[in-house]
Amino acid sequence: MTEQKKRTTIVLFSGDYDKAMAAYIIANGAAAYDHEVTIFHTFWGLNALRKDEPMELKKGFLEKMFAKMMPRGADKMGLSNMNFAGMGPKMIKHVMKKHNAMTLSQLIEMAQEQDVKLVACTMTMDLLGLQQEELLDDIEYAGVAAYLADAEDGNVNLFI
Amino acid sequence: MTEQKKRTTIVLFSGDYDKAMAAYIIANGAAAYDHEVTIFHTFWGLNALRKDEPMELKKGFLEKMFAKMMPRGADKMGLSNMNFAGMGPKMIKHVMKKHNAMTLSQLIEMAQEQDVKLVACTMTMDLLGLQQEELLDDIEYAGVAAYLADAEDGNVNLFI
Amino acid sequence: MTEQKKRTTIVLFSGDYDKAMAAYIIANGAAAYDHEVTIFHTFWGLNALRKDEPMELKKGFLEKMFAKMMPRGADKMGLSNMNFAGMGPKMIKHVMKKHNAMTLSQLIEMAQEQDVKLVACTMTMDLLGLQQEELLDDIEYAGVAAYLADAEDGNVNLFI
């Protein structure tokens, strides 16, 4: 009798730095305990997957607006709380450095090394005008059906 | 041997348009895959169930204040992010129209057609002074015990 | 054959009064239905566990700043919505009193009486400079591994 692997499936909806950190810390922990882990990035959570560099892509007016207004990648994201006009994220990054805590970018890298499946929600990419070239390499693209297929057999299902 | 239906149970706590959209997209997807689906609306999530028209109901002062300050129905709700003094929701609705994406009201209608069980939390209705006449028809009324009864056998449990 | 107890595990990430209320209402409900219940407090959710009185503790500059800026205990927390410069929480507390609803502090007390396991995330305590003396008595201290051990066999897993 083979034992089935445990499974953790996280929807990352939020574009907040601290919430994305929480998602990736749980994901990396679960991967270390040999779970099959998926993070399904939708809406503002897609911003965690954006590459840092600006890009010249053909986009409509609204899509350009969104692209400008949304943070470009993990390091540019704000906090869910105590943002204080940007002072909060700086303070958090200071204490994280002091405590040798991993940054969100490092947590994402670690997740990729541990084979956490990173998925970008194609429906909301469309809505926000995000294109595959703008997002990190080696991620997958799928919709809500694929999410549900992963989640329905999951042990730990979270919406963050 | 009969196979049991899979079950998805979502607590919709948030009163944000985008988060409610995410809840209803997952719910409609799960219903399409033949899950038994419940959305339990509590706190600000109750606003998604409010009817659009203003009503003359007997209410205390605080209940009247809440009724005025809270959005009346799905189409009046704001965004969790990038609200930009109301510009965000307009932009989102523009791109949704352009991409033929369903509005929140349409997603709620679809959920009702697919027999997704829409529940309003009676305890928080009381707290916010909301009455049954103000909410959509054909929904159920229950408390945390009913939620737990659904959720404890669930495959996908989310708090949104 | 002994039947296993059902299990509810909640991550309380949010520092909002209303979200913490929802977490504790679900937790107390689940405990009443004989679930084994854990609330794992991380990031801003740790504030719900802070004692009310100010303390003189040796802390670095940033840790002092965080300690000052964050709400000291359940009664000081703001709302996720309709905060309106602090008017929202006052209104909510008024209607709660009127309806004889339990305050967050009372819900936490009830959870402790019902043996809900309250856990403080040591990693984020470190990050925010919170020390054990500042938090409620009779709680546990653990990291993400302990959370996952509880959650992976859980019936109801929520991230709030």
Side-chain angles (χ1 to χ4, degrees):
Chain A
M1 202 182 89
T2 58
E3 213 195 323
Q4 234 196 322
K5 268 193 162 190
K6 304 251 176 186
R7 187 177 287 211
T8 291
T9 307
I10 296 171
V11 178
L12 182 57
F13 171 95
S14 167
D16 299 321
Y17 190 87
D18 44 350
K19 284 195 168 176
M21 266 186 72
Y24 272 90
I25 289 169
I26 294 171
N28 280 321
Y33 285 94
D34 213 32
H35 285 213
E36 280 184 39
V37 188
T38 302
I39 306 181
F40 186 81
H41 299 72
T42 188
F43 282 88
W44 323 104
L46 287 166
N47 291 320
L49 298 178
R50 287 180 81 188
K51 286 179 187 156
D52 206 356
E53 66 261 34
M55 286 188 197
E56 279 305 323
L57 294 167
K58 251 184 112 171
K59 292 196 179 191
F61 175 71
L62 278 168
E63 285 81 1
K64 259 186 201 154
M65 287 279 284
F66 270 117
K68 275 223 173 107
M69 284 153 57
M70 296 190 304
R72 215 163 49 229
D75 289 332
K76 304 275 176 31
M77 292 156 77
L79 290 185
S80 69
N81 202 343
M82 307 230 304
N83 211 60
F84 291 116
M87 193 174 75
K90 273 187 201 134
M91 278 176 63
I92 283 280
K93 282 171 194 171
H94 262 295
V95 287
M96 282 171 60
K97 212 169 176 178
K98 199 177 131 187
H99 290 277
N100 284 317
M102 293 175 87
T103 64
L104 179 52
S105 304
Q106 291 170 326
L107 288 166
I108 294 175
E109 235 179 84
M110 192 191 187
Q112 290 196 298
E113 282 162 16
Q114 288 200 94
D115 290 320
V116 170
K117 190 163 80 179
L118 304 185
V119 185
C121 168
T122 46
M123 194 208 84
T124 46
M125 282 178 65
D126 235 46
L127 216 56
L128 301 176
L130 290 171
Q131 299 173 18
Q132 298 201 4
E133 293 89 326
E134 295 174 82
L135 302 187
L136 297 184
D137 302 325
D138 301 317
I139 63 174
E140 300 184 22
Y141 296 89
V144 70
Y147 161 69
L148 283 164
D150 272 345
E152 70 179 21
D153 299 320
N155 298 76
V156 183
N157 279 318
L158 302 172
F159 184 99
I160 297 184
Chain B
M1 201 183 90
T2 57
E3 212 194 323
Q4 235 198 319
K5 268 191 160 192
K6 304 250 176 187
R7 187 177 288 211
T8 291
T9 306
I10 297 171
V11 178
L12 182 56
F13 172 96
S14 167
D16 300 320
Y17 190 87
D18 44 350
K19 285 195 166 174
M21 267 187 73
Y24 273 90
I25 289 169
I26 294 171
N28 280 320
Y33 286 95
D34 213 32
H35 285 213
E36 280 184 40
V37 187
T38 301
I39 307 181
F40 185 82
H41 300 72
T42 189
F43 282 87
W44 323 105
L46 286 167
N47 290 320
L49 298 178
R50 288 179 82 189
K51 286 179 187 154
D52 207 356
E53 65 261 35
M55 287 186 195
E56 279 305 324
L57 294 167
K58 250 185 112 173
K59 292 195 179 191
F61 175 72
L62 279 167
E63 286 79 4
K64 260 187 200 151
M65 287 279 285
F66 270 118
K68 274 223 175 106
M69 285 152 59
M70 297 190 303
R72 214 165 50 231
D75 288 333
K76 304 274 175 33
M77 291 156 77
L79 291 184
S80 69
N81 202 343
M82 306 230 304
N83 211 60
F84 293 116
M87 192 174 76
K90 274 189 199 131
M91 279 177 63
I92 283 280
K93 282 171 194 172
H94 262 294
V95 287
M96 281 171 61
K97 213 170 176 178
K98 200 178 132 188
H99 290 277
N100 284 317
M102 292 174 88
T103 64
L104 179 53
S105 303
Q106 291 170 326
L107 288 166
I108 294 174
E109 235 179 84
M110 192 191 189
Q112 290 196 297
E113 283 161 15
Q114 288 200 95
D115 290 320
V116 170
K117 190 164 81 180
L118 304 185
V119 185
C121 169
T122 46
M123 194 208 86
T124 46
M125 281 178 66
D126 234 46
L127 217 55
L128 302 176
L130 290 170
Q131 298 174 19
Q132 299 200 2
E133 293 89 325
E134 296 174 81
L135 302 187
L136 297 184
D137 301 324
D138 301 318
I139 64 173
E140 300 185 20
Y141 297 89
V144 70
Y147 161 69
L148 284 164
D150 273 346
E152 70 179 20
D153 299 320
N155 297 77
V156 182
N157 279 317
L158 302 172
F159 184 99
I160 297 183
Chain C
M1 202 181 92
T2 57
E3 212 194 323
Q4 234 197 322
K5 269 192 159 190
K6 305 250 176 186
R7 188 176 287 212
T8 292
T9 306
I10 297 171
V11 178
L12 181 56
F13 171 95
S14 167
D16 300 321
Y17 190 87
D18 44 350
K19 285 197 167 175
M21 266 186 72
Y24 273 89
I25 289 169
I26 294 171
N28 279 320
Y33 285 95
D34 213 32
H35 286 213
E36 280 184 39
V37 187
T38 301
I39 306 182
F40 185 82
H41 300 73
T42 188
F43 282 88
W44 323 104
L46 286 167
N47 290 321
L49 298 179
R50 287 179 82 188
K51 287 179 187 154
D52 207 356
E53 65 262 35
M55 286 188 196
E56 279 305 324
L57 294 167
K58 252 186 111 172
K59 291 194 180 194
F61 175 70
L62 279 166
E63 285 80 2
K64 260 188 200 152
M65 288 279 284
F66 270 117
K68 275 224 172 105
M69 286 152 60
M70 297 190 304
R72 213 164 51 229
D75 288 333
K76 304 277 176 30
M77 292 156 76
L79 290 184
S80 69
N81 203 343
M82 306 228 304
N83 211 60
F84 292 116
M87 192 173 76
K90 273 188 201 134
M91 280 177 63
I92 283 280
K93 282 171 194 171
H94 262 294
V95 288
M96 282 172 60
K97 212 169 177 180
K98 200 177 132 189
H99 290 276
N100 284 316
M102 293 174 87
T103 64
L104 179 52
S105 303
Q106 292 170 325
L107 288 166
I108 294 175
E109 234 178 84
M110 192 192 188
Q112 290 197 298
E113 282 161 16
Q114 288 199 95
D115 290 320
V116 170
K117 190 163 82 180
L118 304 185
V119 186
C121 168
T122 46
M123 194 208 85
T124 46
M125 280 178 65
D126 235 46
L127 216 55
L128 301 177
L130 289 171
Q131 299 173 18
Q132 299 200 4
E133 292 89 325
E134 296 174 82
L135 303 188
L136 297 184
D137 302 325
D138 301 318
I139 64 173
E140 300 185 20
Y141 297 89
V144 70
Y147 161 68
L148 283 164
D150 272 345
E152 70 180 20
D153 299 320
N155 297 76
V156 182
N157 279 318
L158 302 172
F159 184 100
I160 298 185

